[in-house]
Structure formats: structure tokens, C-alpha cells
Amino acid sequence: MAKDLGEDLESEILVRLPAKSLMRFKCVQRSWNALFRNHRFLMSHVNMQMSKERLMVFGLDREMEFEKIVSLTCDDPSQSPQYLNCSPLDNSFKFHMSYGSCNGVFCVGMCNEEIYDLSGVYQLILWNPITRESKLIPFPSEKPSYKLHGFGVDPNTNDFKIIKPTINFEGSCRPLIAYAEVYNLSTNSWTSIHVVTLPHAESVKTQYYYSCVLVNGVYHWLIAYEGGFGYILCFDFRNNQFSKLTAPVDLPNDERHMDTDKIAEVNGSLGYIIQYLEQERLEIWIMNEHKWTKTHSVVWPTDIFIFGVWKDGNQLLGQKNINQDKDEKRLTIYNLDAQPFHQFQVLNLHPYSQINKYVESIVPLST
């Protein structure tokens, strides 16, 4: 009984420690090493770390060249950025795109600069920046495709999954899911899934660079516009089903540019950010109970580019427009009155750079 009580107390203490400390303690004793692979312990540790979220910046410079990956702490802006390398491949492969994080693990696309093209053919990997473990993902059967992937976890099995829908665009309209495959980490294999054709409009304008986010087990892509409405494709990792959402506001195309609209996770809900360039105004909408609710409408200068929502939606992550002049611009957290609240030591990000919130974890990629 005393021994069991001791083990329980050990677990309660260890689960509150930073992930880097747990990595150092793996070799202390066998029971700890086994504990650190226990799913219940791992998820408790992830939940404990939620209040200490970090930013992972997958950055492109203003010439859109390949750049390093940067980890930032959100509590202390004076801390220097931590530059990371996630590639398990040789140096000819560089980071290309992030599909976000789940339980401290990232899904990223790596490509060979010599063979890269806009068809989106590149190598996927899973990567835990704390454990430095990475996992090469085998190519699915339909390798050449529109570059669309999503990453999450099945809460029924606790298995990491990657979804790859193959989208066919008939001319400039009608995005149709022609084929879809799901990767399961536990089997290290892809399987095809049944796809129901989604409703579509007669005139659809596709985005060159889409916004994507995982919210409550559902992956979302803002991939196109039907008239003035954003077209959000959704995939539920719990039942492998696709669905579709539309943006909250219908606007003429000259009211805003496609790349200024963003979707994001806000307090566990799907958020939609609309930046009206002509009116110097910004709105934040939240999806609650299958309905959009406008939570903010504020004056917003056109020279601050928005990367996404920060914290509870009362702050925004952005950067002064680097095209305005040649001065260096820093990644900044802004209050909703457009005043800087927190500046990071990261300079001159391209608008197509990707910034993901994540928590540090020791979740393994191997059994």
C-alpha cells in the first residue's frame, strides 16, 4: 500500500515537470521510463503544459526562400529564438509546409529543392521537437495531387492520423474530392476512405495559399471562395467524414483580398478573421453551436498583416507590412486597438509564413 502511494505521488510530481526535464529523467529508473510511455500520463502532462503554450514559426523570408524553423516562448519576449531542424533526410531536403501540431507533435512537408513543383509532391514527416524524434511517412498511392493534407489524432484509438484528400478543380470552379486516403501511425500505412461528394457552387475562386487549423478533432481548410463566402472544407478524425462550412459574411471581392481571411482555433472553437482593407476594419467571428457569432469589430490599420488570433481572441499575432519600407519588422502580439503588446526577436516574415501554437510534450512516435 505504501509502495502504491509512493508511486502515485511520484506520478503527480513528475506530470507537472517540463518536458525537457522528463527527457533527462528517462534513464533514472525503469519504472519512470515505462511511466513516460503511458498514454494517460502523457495526456495528463500535455494538459498540464497547456498554460505554457509556445509558438513554432515556419518562416519564409521576403524572397520566399526556404528558412529555418524557430521556437518561441510566449511568456518572455527577451528570450532568444531557438532555431531547429526537423529534417531526418539529407541536407537537400528543406521544410516546405506545416500542417499544425497535435499533442506536441507536428506534421510537416519536406521537399527537395531540385524537384519541387506546385503539384505539392513532397515528403511528409511527423516530428516531436522535444524528443527530436521524427518519422518518415510513406507516400500514399495517389502521390501527385493538390497539396492538401490534415493532421490530428483519433480520440477513439489515440492514434495519430494524416488525411489526404485529392481535390479536382474543374477549370476555375467546382472543387470536388475525387479521392481520399488516411494514414495511421499505428499501422504505418494509408487506407482509402469512402467520400461523399460535397455540395458546390457554379463559380469558385481557389486560394493559392490556404489557411488551415485543427479544432476539437476536426481539421479545417479555407481553400476557396464561392462568391463572397469562404469555403471551409472539414474532416472529422473521429469518423473519417468530410463536411463543408461557409464563412460568416458575404462580401464583394474588392472589399478584401483572399489571403487576408484566416481561420484559427479560439478557446476550443473555430474562429474566422476578416480584414477589410478598404475600410481599415477587422472582424473576428466564432463558431458556436453551428452558428457564427461576431465577437469583435475594430479599427485596424492596413499596414499590419495578421497571422492569426492569439490567446482568447483578445489579441492578434501579426507584423508590420514589410513591403511598406526596408526597415526590419518584428513578429508581434497586438492588442485589439492595434497597439503592440509583445515583440519577438523574429524579423521580416513573409505573409505566407506559418505560425503554429503548440505545447511541449514527450509523446513518442514509435511503439
Side-chain angles (χ1 to χ4, degrees):
M1 186 75 175
K3 180 179 180 181
D4 292 338
L5 180 60
E7 290 176 352
D8 291 341
L9 287 174
E10 279 187 357
S11 179
E12 286 298 314
I13 294 170
L14 291 169
V15 79
R16 288 167 168 76
L17 297 180
K20 292 179 181 178
S21 296
L22 297 186
M23 288 299 297
R24 292 196 299 268
F25 295 162
K26 287 178 67 175
C27 299
V28 172
Q29 57 188 50
R30 290 182 180 180
S31 62
W32 286 9
N33 190 36
L35 177 65
F36 297 164
R37 300 185 71 86
N38 178 275
H39 177 74
R40 180 177 295 181
F41 177 87
L42 291 170
M43 292 304 97
S44 295
H45 182 259
V46 168
N47 291 332
M48 288 285 184
Q49 298 300 308
M50 287 296 184
S51 62
K52 304 174 184 177
E53 279 186 326
R54 298 179 65 89
L55 293 180
M56 191 69 78
V57 181
F58 298 88
L60 293 163
D61 67 8
R62 67 186 72 190
E63 281 77 36
M64 290 188 67
E65 296 179 352
F66 297 96
E67 282 291 311
K68 292 181 179 179
I69 299 169
V70 184
S71 175
L72 300 170
T73 177
C74 302
D75 297 325
D76 185 0
S78 65
Q79 286 194 14
S80 299
Q82 180 183 2
Y83 291 87
L84 305 172
N85 181 7
C86 67
S87 177
L89 306 170
D90 60 76
N91 291 330
S92 65
F93 281 80
K94 305 293 184 181
F95 160 78
H96 176 64
M97 190 164 192
S98 165
Y99 297 99
S101 71
C102 183
N103 296 338
V105 174
F106 285 85
C107 179
V108 298
M110 311 293 292
C111 70
N112 188 318
E113 294 182 61
E114 296 179 359
I115 64 172
Y116 170 69
D117 57 54
L118 293 180
S119 66
V121 180
Y122 46 80
Q123 180 74 59
L124 291 176
I125 71 166
L126 298 183
W127 171 56
N128 186 324
I130 294 299
T131 65
R132 300 185 181 180
E133 185 180 10
S134 57
K135 168 74 175 178
L136 279 170
I137 306 303
F139 283 116
S141 59
E142 297 287 330
K143 185 167 60 174
S145 72
Y146 186 73
K147 54 177 184 180
L148 208 65
H149 297 85
F151 173 60
V153 67
D154 185 341
N156 300 314
T157 62
N158 303 316
D159 194 11
F160 285 118
K161 286 183 174 182
I162 300 172
I163 174 63
K164 178 186 175 296
T166 298
I167 306 293
N168 286 345
F169 290 95
E170 299 178 0
S172 62
C173 64
R174 298 185 180 183
L176 302 174
I177 302 176
Y179 188 74
E181 291 179 279
V182 174
Y183 169 84
N184 290 75
L185 178 62
S186 60
T187 61
N188 193 36
S189 62
W190 295 83
T191 56
S192 61
I193 62 172
H194 176 67
V195 174
V196 177
T197 302
L198 296 173
H200 56 266
E202 292 298 319
S203 178
V204 172
K205 184 178 180 182
T206 61
Q207 289 210 104
Y208 168 71
Y209 199 85
Y210 54 87
S211 179
C212 52
V213 67
L214 176 71
V215 181
N216 289 331
V218 179
Y219 204 87
H220 304 78
W221 302 266
L222 175 59
I223 61 170
Y225 284 79
E226 296 178 358
F229 283 100
Y231 179 112
I232 303 173
L233 179 65
C234 312
F235 180 80
D236 194 329
F237 285 104
R238 292 165 290 197
N239 55 22
N240 287 352
Q241 295 294 314
F242 285 97
S243 59
K244 170 192 169 184
L245 291 172
T246 54
V249 179
D250 181 14
L251 293 172
N253 288 334
D254 58 357
E255 289 284 340
R256 67 183 192 267
H257 297 306
M258 293 174 63
D259 289 341
T260 62
D261 281 19
K262 297 285 188 300
I263 55 175
E265 184 272 331
V266 184
N267 286 342
S269 298
L270 179 65
Y272 198 102
I273 309 167
I274 302 174
Q275 189 170 5
Y276 302 81
L277 299 180
E278 297 298 325
Q279 303 177 28
E280 293 194 336
R281 184 165 59 90
L282 182 140
E283 292 179 354
I284 301 176
W285 294 73
I286 304 296
M287 174 68 76
N288 284 319
E289 298 181 352
H290 309 290
K291 295 181 180 179
W292 289 109
T293 301
K294 182 165 63 174
T295 58
H296 298 91
S297 180
V298 297
V299 175
W300 196 261
T302 59
D303 66 339
I304 299 179
F305 180 85
I306 299 301
F307 288 105
V309 173
W310 181 241
K311 295 293 184 182
D312 57 1
N314 292 317
Q315 292 174 316
L316 297 167
L317 194 63
Q319 177 187 262
K320 287 278 191 177
N321 191 340
I322 62 174
N323 296 320
Q324 298 294 322
D325 53 55
K326 294 183 179 180
D327 293 338
E328 292 182 331
K329 310 300 181 184
R330 297 183 185 274
L331 178 65
T332 304
I333 293 176
Y334 290 93
N335 293 320
L336 289 181
D337 59 1
Q339 294 302 307
F341 169 77
H342 184 132
Q343 279 197 327
F344 297 103
Q345 305 302 310
V346 177
L347 306 176
N348 297 346
L349 291 177
H350 194 278
Y352 290 161
S353 299
Q354 293 173 280
I355 302 175
N356 300 143
K357 290 184 287 187
Y358 79 105
V359 296
E360 295 184 335
S361 83
I362 59 169
V363 172
L365 300 178
S366 57
T367 56

